[in-house]
Amino acid sequence: MMNDQKLNISNLLDDHQASNYLGLKKGTLSVWRSTGRYQIPFVKIGSKVRYRQSDLDVWLESRTQKATA
């Protein structure tokens, strides 16, 4: 299991929910996964992809800028 986080399948977000949470278009996360553009952790369950909200929060925090220069 990744990290020490417990996996509770009911707490995982699908692509649609995760993209809404991040304010992205539905297909953007799929493109990012396939191209490796951003390293947002995801859980693969068979052919399904799921995201932990806590991982999305950490990624958002890492993208926070304090200056534009």
Side-chain angles (χ1 to χ4, degrees):
M1 185 183 304
M2 296 171 49
N3 300 343
D4 289 331
Q5 296 178 0
K6 291 183 179 179
L7 263 183
N8 182 345
I9 237 167
S10 65
N11 291 338
L12 298 175
L13 305 176
D14 63 22
D15 264 345
H16 184 258
Q17 294 167 319
S19 61
N20 280 341
Y21 184 74
L22 295 173
L24 303 171
K25 291 182 180 178
K26 189 176 175 182
T28 300
L29 289 174
S30 176
V31 170
W32 288 356
R33 276 194 318 274
S34 65
T35 62
R37 180 168 184 177
Y38 295 108
Q39 300 298 312
I40 301 175
F42 61 92
V43 178
K44 187 85 168 168
I45 305 169
S47 62
K48 296 178 181 174
V49 173
R50 298 291 184 260
Y51 296 88
R52 290 182 190 95
Q53 185 173 328
S54 59
D55 288 336
L56 299 178
D57 291 337
V58 168
W59 181 78
L60 282 172
E61 187 64 32
S62 75
R63 305 286 302 155
T64 301
Q65 303 292 312
K66 296 184 183 196
T68 59

